[in-house]
C-alpha cells in the first residue's frame, strides 16, 4: 500500500532542477536562476549540449526510473524543465 502512494508523488520542477544542477556540476547556478520554461539547449536558454542531454537521460533513469523510449520526441521532452517534469510524471 505504501509503495503505491510513493508512485503517485509527482516530481516538481524544483526537484528536477536540483538534480540537473548536481548531475551536470552546474554549481554556479541556483534553482531560482532556471525558469520552468527556460530552454535547456541553445544560446537563448541554459546552453546545454548533446553530452549534457546524455547526462540528463541518465539522471532520468537513475533518479526517477524513467526512460525516454521515443527518440524522435526527445527534442520536445528535453525542451524545458517543465516539459521534462511533465514527461517524468506521465511515465513514472
Amino acid at each position: 500500500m505504501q509503495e503505491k502512494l510513493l508512485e503517485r508523488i509527482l516530481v516538481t520542477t524544483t526537484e528536477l532542477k536540483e538534480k540537473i544542477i548536481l548531475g551536470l556540476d552546474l554549481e554556479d547556478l541556483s534553482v531560482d536562476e532556471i525558469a520552468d520554461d527556460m530552454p535547456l539547449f541553445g544560446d537563448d536558454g541554459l546552453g546545454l549540449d548533446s553530452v549534457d542531454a546524455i547526462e540528463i537521460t541518465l539522471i532520468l533513469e537513475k533518479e526517477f526510473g524513467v526512460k525516454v523510449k521515443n527518440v524522435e520526441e526527445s527534442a520536445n521532452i528535453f525542451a524545458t524543465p517543465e516539459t521534462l517534469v511533465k514527461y517524468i510524471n506521465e511515465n513514472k
Side-chain angles (χ1 to χ4, degrees):
M1 180 101 159
Q2 194 172 22
E3 192 174 304
K4 286 185 178 183
L5 288 175
L6 290 176
E7 288 177 19
R8 292 187 202 161
I9 296 173
L10 297 178
V11 174
T12 63
T13 52
T14 300
E15 184 180 357
L16 174 68
K17 289 185 262 186
E18 288 170 350
K19 302 281 186 195
I20 290 173
I21 289 169
L22 288 172
L24 301 180
D25 294 323
L26 303 174
E27 290 115 14
D28 56 331
L29 279 177
S30 72
V31 169
D32 296 334
E33 294 176 282
I34 305 171
D36 290 352
D37 60 352
M38 176 184 279
L40 294 174
F41 301 90
D43 294 335
D44 55 337
L46 202 52
L48 301 181
D49 61 23
S50 59
V51 174
D52 296 320
I54 294 168
E55 289 295 324
I56 292 173
T57 302
L58 296 174
I59 290 168
L60 293 182
E61 290 179 17
K62 180 181 172 195
E63 300 292 334
F64 304 109
V66 173
K67 291 186 179 203
V68 178
K69 298 170 190 131
N70 190 344
V71 178
E72 290 89 38
E73 291 182 24
S74 61
N76 294 329
I77 295 166
F78 287 80
T80 66
E82 205 167 51
T83 59
L84 262 174
V85 165
K86 182 179 179 209
Y87 183 81
I88 292 167
N89 288 329
E90 289 175 351
N91 292 278
K92 256 182 115 169

